[in-house]
Amino acid sequence: MSVGVLLMTHESMGAALVSAARHVLGKLPLPLNVIELDAGADPDATLSVAAREARALDHGDGVLVLTDLYGATPCNVAHRLPSLGLHMHCVSGLNLPMLLRVLNYPEQSLDELAQTAASGGRGGIFIDHA
């Protein structure tokens, strides 16, 4: 069994990150799906879709929801999922290093994978001092 991964992002960001991850890794080692919200998306309707997708991804080990921007609609909807009985963690600030790090540790538990996601996202940020 493994943790499911649900990306909740604005517009086409999620699909682009998954495409880049497939380019780097080839096969994705965790069950993964993407929900992309366009401007004006209805949060209640999105919550229903997100709950359905999260339940489909959860094979007993929970779901890691990765969102692009803390406090924005995708993140706010994700934070409502536990109230519907879903076993999940949400990590915001989604970037490609975060996603790749998550996908490189498919054996980790949900709690461990949430920490791995956060450290991967932060660890992928560098300042060029040239």
Side-chain angles (χ1 to χ4, degrees), residues 43-110:
D44 292 328
T46 303
L47 178 62
S48 176
V49 171
R52 184 175 63 246
E53 294 296 332
R55 285 188 180 101
L57 288 166
D58 189 355
H59 300 286
D61 293 324
V63 176
L64 179 64
V65 180
L66 304 176
T67 67
D68 53 0
L69 183 62
Y70 182 79
T73 303
C75 181
N76 293 339
V77 169
H79 285 160
R80 293 171 60 193
L81 290 171
S83 70
L84 300 177
L86 290 151
H87 177 55
M88 54 145 305
H89 282 304
C90 179
V91 179
S92 298
L94 176 60
N95 58 21
L96 185 56
M98 178 188 290
L99 181 58
L100 291 173
R101 182 72 62 88
V102 164
L103 294 173
N104 273 294
Y105 292 94
E107 73 287 349
Q108 289 187 341
S109 71
L110 178 59

Side-chain angles (χ1 to χ4, degrees), residues 16-28:
L17 288 171
V18 171
S19 178
R22 278 198 176 100
H23 174 77
V24 172
L25 300 174
K27 184 177 184 245
L28 302 182

